[in-house]
């Protein structure tokens, strides 16, 4: 497999008066013998002497693909072809994750992550966008914060693995449209403002130096399809390979925004919508990120909550996966009805609190009726997105091969809970696949396989964007989905079974509304 | 004719929700409609907003060819396609000349020159090479001096024409192998030291920024064929187009070194040799550069010297063209014999001076016997180069269509004088063509015509380098040429006629040896 960088060990003839080719041509001819047409940077030209002589013409050249041709970007003495490194980055709006890749072995050496430094300018993307809108100085600060975030990861990787970013050839960055705009230093107001025509969506290969990174070669930024369908989704396609398959798959990336793709090797229907920050614990009173002290798992057993707290410490709040568990348990145990209304008669843990009902899911921590309502709207939006996409593609859920859930959601959320509340469709559990950090996986994959570049073109060509709001019946579908698990129970047979199993009152809840 | 840069005025549709392509793709699509596949730099991506909106999508894009593809390197509001500039540079070891080109009109706007700042490290190239050999710091100083020299010209051009180098897209530099090594920051000892394998001879297109120039696009450095056959000669080929012609031409560039090419569209035989600094007045006691106070023209009339002094001032010394005139007149008037020996009986101006004979060519200025001897060796080397090349190509002088003389030599030296001393062959005068600054002309030509790049490849392929020293009979030819005009008078019939015409003693000189 040919990646977007190479290290090639060359044993060349020393120059003689009979063969007095230049050092440059000697190397480029050596590469040509291996079928590689390449150019050479000025930096490398400066390095030719005395390196080649000192190495007695046994040298290793680093090559980087720039989208059009191979470029010699570094020279080393002797055979260092095994020391071939690259970097894959998932530039998330909250978290930035970078992997140091051993490109010779095709393996990840280690991974590091950090909070996106942009957070200093606002926790949500819109605040950040407004912060630097039409303000060159603040835009530059935002760009720098973005570069600094990745650099923090690179430094951590260097500390951990002892491999400096200068030793890496290529870097692949995948992020949503706003993140890439900020990385390149472009105003991102366009992403959220009509007519939603962004600045640049095909940055391609940029020199490391031009973006502020010390890699010797190029930084490839995944292109975006549209304002809401960013490089992270394209990268997710590459990771899951749904664009290569015969069977139709669903790709679901849900965070502050939800992005959805349904398709196979022939078509890719895409949509995106504001899922609301509820999923990240944003509007929930005691909601918090999945850090130390967050309740991330919830069970109701014999009328009592059994919770898991991250960091095995005292509970401080609840994160996304905890919320979904909590809501599922409340519903399955009949503590809320299908509209999500808390039923105080079911447990003394459900009490009047600050003028509304709330359930005490951990000592002194309450989940309010308002929190539940907000969350149900969010999960209804998510469900409706899937429903619309299926309707548009003329397919039924039974025709879906795999249901990929990307990101932290896919990793941490319990499938059973997500199905119980009607957020995921009720399908065979093994068909629901945690796609992990597919944005990062896609970045990694491209780093190791240059052919992916052609795939990306194909993906962009095949993608058709569906405006959810423009679809007939959108609002009705949305309203119908605002029940647990859905107004149409038939869609969730396994949830019905679980309800029956858990308690007879389960049925009561359903029939009671 | 398509140059290596372009300015294209685009009138684009403003984005709508129906057509929400990115600014980047809107521009690249606009170019594609004109048959141009292009990429875009990060710098331009940053400039897209608010420029495009402010210009209501009526914009002019600057495109630069980088050897592989077109790159959008600048954006301007409105139609600025007529303001399309580029720079052609002749990077000489003594003088740097730059032309500001109007690429839209295909014309030179103005020209500026300056001394090469490298002179601070030595007047001759070898001193400069030794100065920074294996010394990174001094090499960087040499590189900077080179860049500063060109920059001085660019600043002068800006002052004269009011057009900043930042407004120029592409730059073409032509110079000998050492000059290009220094421009790129490479140790040039290799140029003069066995096995004469240089560092890099195909630098191609480098970003302006990488070399230290503010042009928005790329700087192309003419490639060299070998250590002694530099980019200035390749550029000279492009200027004279001898590689395109049916008839065989001679291209002769003589300075400290002499370079010679004989050929046509089918073959190009090349040679180079140390012509000696005599030609530039280097070893002559009162020799000087062609600056104010230099005797540049000499006539002998009625036993007296009639001289022309540059700057119409008092004579301080004598420059190359003056020396050749002087030697020709001395010979034609019979003041020296065919071996160049001064004949004190011919004129009281020939006197014993500091233990040797010398002729007083201007009040208080003497040309010594040693100066003459040195010069005759130089002209013999030049003649022998031509003779060998003809012998190698199996051609006689009568088969030569044009005899191009490049550089200051071609411009300032009297054809008659150069023939009289046997430096040029005795051929029809109109076939001897002053090629002017063909190095600069070739740079200019490439700037305006991208097809020249293919020609350069062809030239490099066709060039065959002849080692003069390795040719049979080299020494004998060299010795035979050390006479005025040559041991074999028959080769110089017009000189013989002139001798006869000038005075009967002329014959005496010849028969007397």
């Amino acid at each position: 497999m040919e990646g977007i960088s190479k290290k090639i060990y060359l044993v060349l003839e020393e120059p003689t008066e009979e063969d007095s080719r230049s050092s440059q041509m000697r190397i480029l001819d050596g590469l040509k013998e291996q079928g590689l047409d390449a150019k050479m940077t000025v930096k490398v030209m400066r390095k030719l002497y005395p390196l080649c002589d000192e190495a007695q013409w046994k040298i290793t050249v680093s090559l980087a693909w720039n989208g059009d041709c191979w470029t010699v970007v570094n020279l080393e003495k002797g055979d260092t072809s095994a020391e071939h490194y690259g970097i894959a980055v998932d530039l998330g709006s909250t978290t930035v994750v970078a992997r140091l890749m051993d490109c010779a072995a095709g393996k990840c050496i280690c991974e590091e992550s950090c909070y996106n430094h942009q957070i200093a300018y606002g926790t949500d993307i819109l605040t950040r966008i407004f912060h630097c809108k039409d303000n060159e100085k603040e835009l530059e600060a935002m760009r720098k914060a973005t570069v600094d975030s990745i650099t923090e990861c690179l430094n951590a990787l260097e500390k951990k693995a002892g491999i400096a970013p200068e030793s890496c050839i290529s870097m692949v960055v995948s992020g949503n449209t706003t993140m890439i705009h900020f990385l390149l230093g472009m105003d991102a107001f366009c992403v959220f403002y009509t007519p939603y025509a962004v600045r640049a969506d095909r940055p391609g290969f940029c020199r490391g130096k031009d973006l502020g990174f010390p890699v010797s070669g190029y930084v490839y930024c995944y292109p975006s399809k549209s304002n809401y369908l960013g490089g992270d989704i394209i990268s997710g396609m590459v990771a899951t390979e749904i664009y290569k398959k015969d069977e139709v798959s669903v790709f679901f990336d849900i965070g502050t925004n939800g992005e959805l793709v349904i398709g196979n090797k022939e078509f890719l229907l895409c949509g995106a919508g504001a899922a609301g920050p509820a999923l990240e614990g944003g509007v929930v009173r005691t909601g918090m990120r999945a850090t130390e002290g967050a309740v991330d798992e919830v069970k109701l057993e014999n009328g009592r909550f059994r919770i898991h707290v991250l960091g095995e410490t005292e509970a401080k709040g609840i994160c996304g996966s905890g919320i979904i568990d909590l809501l599922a348990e409340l519903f399955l145990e009949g503590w809320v009805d299908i509209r999500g209304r808390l039923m105080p008669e079911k447990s003394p843990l459900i009490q009047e609190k600050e003028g509304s009902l709330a359930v005490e899911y951990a000592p002194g921590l309450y989940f309010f009726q308002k929190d539940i309502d907000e969350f149900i709207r969010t999960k209804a939006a998510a469900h409706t997105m899937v429903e619309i996409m299926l309707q548009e593609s003329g397919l039924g859920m039974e025709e879906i091969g795999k249901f990929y859930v990307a990101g932290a959601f896919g990793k941490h959320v319990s499938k059973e809970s997500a199905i119980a509340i009607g957020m995921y469709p009720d399908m065979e559990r093994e068909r629901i696949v945690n796609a992990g950090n597919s944005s990062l996986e896609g970045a990694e994959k491209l780093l190791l396989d240059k052919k992916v570049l052609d795939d990306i073109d194909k993906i962009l060509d095949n993608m058709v964007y569906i405006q959810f709001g423009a679809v007939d019946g959108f609002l009705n579908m949305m309203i119908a989905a605002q029940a647990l698990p859905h107004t149409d129970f038939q869609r969730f047979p396994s949830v019905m079974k679980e309800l029956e199993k858990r308690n007879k009152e389960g049925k009561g809840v359903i029939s009671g509304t």
Side-chain angles (χ1 to χ4, degrees), chain A:
Chain A
M1 200 157 66
E2 185 181 69
I4 56 168
S5 62
K6 282 176 188 285
K7 281 190 86 165
I8 294 182
Y9 177 53
L10 294 173
V11 178
L12 299 168
E13 293 293 319
E14 297 197 19
T16 59
E17 290 205 16
E18 288 66 44
D19 173 12
S20 61
R21 278 172 302 156
S22 65
S23 313
Q24 180 193 22
M25 292 316 287
R26 201 166 292 273
I27 291 170
L28 297 185
D29 286 348
L31 292 171
K32 205 168 268 173
E33 276 173 31
Q34 307 207 10
L36 275 172
D37 256 314
K39 301 172 85 176
M40 191 178 272
T41 64
V42 176
K43 210 175 150 189
V44 170
M45 291 185 213
R46 286 181 190 150
K47 219 174 163 179
L48 289 165
Y49 175 82
L51 190 143
C52 293
D53 290 324
E54 286 177 1
Q56 293 174 295
W57 293 90
K58 293 177 177 70
I59 53 168
T60 303
V61 299
S62 295
L63 290 145
W65 182 253
N66 76 357
D68 293 302
C69 62
W70 289 103
T71 308
V72 178
V73 294
N74 201 14
L75 288 185
E76 288 165 306
K77 292 182 200 173
D79 186 357
T80 62
S81 57
E83 296 150 34
H84 177 190
Y85 309 112
I87 294 160
V89 176
D90 167 38
L91 180 58
S93 56
T94 305
T95 310
V96 178
V97 194
R99 277 188 192 160
L100 176 67
M101 299 295 300
D102 178 340
C103 300
K107 284 192 300 207
C108 172
I109 297 171
C110 57
E111 181 179 309
E112 284 288 348
S113 67
C114 71
Y115 280 115
N116 191 325
H117 293 208
Q118 293 172 8
I119 293 171
Y121 304 103
T123 45
D124 67 295
I125 289 194
L126 268 175
T127 310
R128 298 179 205 170
I129 286 175
F130 275 104
H131 175 76
C132 57
K133 173 178 186 292
D134 293 316
N135 185 327
E136 239 176 87
K137 212 181 119 227
E138 291 303 320
L139 180 59
E140 172 57 18
M142 193 67 80
R143 187 195 69 76
K144 210 177 157 297
T146 315
V147 172
D148 288 349
S149 310
I150 296 179
T151 303
E152 186 183 331
C153 292
L154 300 186
N155 292 341
L157 289 172
E158 179 174 4
K159 210 172 158 190
K160 201 187 261 181
I163 293 161
E166 288 79 3
S167 308
C168 298
I169 303 176
S170 300
M171 189 194 276
V172 178
V173 180
S174 129
N176 68 35
T177 311
T178 302
M179 288 304 109
I180 299 300
H181 270 57
F182 283 159
L183 177 65
L184 298 180
M186 300 187 294
D187 197 308
F189 186 65
C190 52
V191 174
F192 289 90
Y193 191 72
T194 178
Y196 310 107
V198 304
R199 299 303 152 220
D201 45 8
R202 313 275 170 110
F205 289 88
C206 306
R207 273 213 237 169
K209 209 172 135 190
D210 286 349
L211 296 194
F213 301 112
V215 294
S216 59
Y218 299 88
V219 176
Y220 177 83
C221 296
Y222 258 95
S224 54
K225 174 67 184 177
S226 69
N227 61 331
Y228 293 140
L229 282 166
D232 51 343
I233 303 305
I234 312 294
S235 186
M237 295 296 99
V238 168
T240 55
E241 299 193 338
I242 74 173
Y243 66 96
K244 281 187 175 176
K245 296 175 180 165
D246 287 315
E247 69 172 10
V248 173
S249 306
V250 172
F251 176 86
F252 199 30
D253 187 358
I254 192 153
T256 307
N257 284 284
E259 290 97 16
L260 190 71
V261 185
I262 292 189
N264 63 4
K265 64 179 184 186
E266 274 152 21
F267 72 99
L268 292 168
L269 288 184
C270 320
L279 286 178
E280 290 182 335
V283 297
V284 169
R285 189 91 63 90
T286 59
M288 63 181 288
R289 288 212 195 106
T291 50
E292 194 176 289
V295 172
D296 69 331
E297 284 174 26
V298 178
K299 277 278 167 211
L300 252 181
E301 274 172 11
N302 308 318
R304 307 182 73 96
F305 285 106
R306 197 160 57 77
I307 59 170
H308 177 261
V309 183
L310 286 173
E312 318 300 330
T313 172
E314 201 183 332
K316 288 186 211 154
I318 190 163
C319 67
S321 63
I323 294 173
I324 289 165
D325 269 5
L326 174 61
L327 201 57
E329 289 299 304
L330 290 175
F331 172 60
L332 291 170
E333 292 293 320
W335 291 22
V336 296
D337 67 10
I338 74 156
R339 290 285 158 206
R341 280 189 298 251
L342 283 163
M343 321 264 280
E345 66 276 21
K346 296 287 178 176
S347 164
L349 290 171
I350 302 174
Q351 301 158 27
E352 185 85 16
K353 191 85 190 165
E354 297 169 31
S356 104
L357 284 173
V359 57
E360 190 179 9
Y361 62 93
L365 293 173
Y366 296 87
F367 203 76
F368 291 82
Q369 184 62 56
K370 203 179 125 287
D371 295 336
I372 296 174
D373 297 346
E374 179 73 27
F375 206 87
I376 287 179
R377 274 193 292 277
T378 298
K379 80 96 196 170
H383 179 91
T384 307
M385 280 167 67
V386 178
E387 196 180 352
I388 286 178
M389 299 297 279
L390 282 172
Q391 176 184 299
E392 290 293 310
S393 58
L395 295 168
M397 185 48 72
E398 66 288 355
E399 290 169 275
I400 298 299
K402 294 268 184 342
F403 190 90
Y404 292 97
V405 187
F409 207 86
K411 194 169 170 188
H412 298 293
V413 166
S414 144
K415 288 180 197 175
E416 290 304 334
S417 297
I419 294 169
I421 65 167
M423 185 154 197
Y424 293 177
D426 192 354
M427 61 198 292
E428 291 156 52
R429 303 310 184 250
E430 65 274 17
R431 281 164 58 208
I432 300 175
V433 181
N434 164 24
N437 189 341
S438 57
S439 167
L440 184 60
E441 301 284 340
E444 183 181 309
K445 215 159 172 174
L446 168 56
L447 198 64
L448 300 176
D449 185 4
K450 185 166 150 274
K451 284 204 207 82
V452 166
L453 289 169
D454 299 327
D455 293 358
I456 290 171
D457 286 338
K458 193 191 149 191
I459 292 166
L460 289 168
D461 280 350
N462 281 1
M463 273 184 159
V464 174
Y465 186 69
I466 307 283
Q467 289 263 15
F468 287 128
V471 172
D472 281 345
F474 170 74
L475 257 182
N476 287 339
M477 282 192 248
M478 190 73 171
I479 290 163
Q482 283 174 25
L484 296 172
H486 193 275
T487 318
D488 179 5
F489 311 144
Q490 309 310 319
R491 300 186 184 185
F492 291 86
S494 81
V495 179
M496 293 302 102
K497 250 188 218 159
E498 177 69 11
L499 267 178
E500 275 176 50
K501 200 189 100 192
R502 288 244 193 155
N503 59 52
K504 288 162 197 169
E505 289 93 316
K507 258 182 189 151
V509 175
I510 294 164
S511 58
T513 52

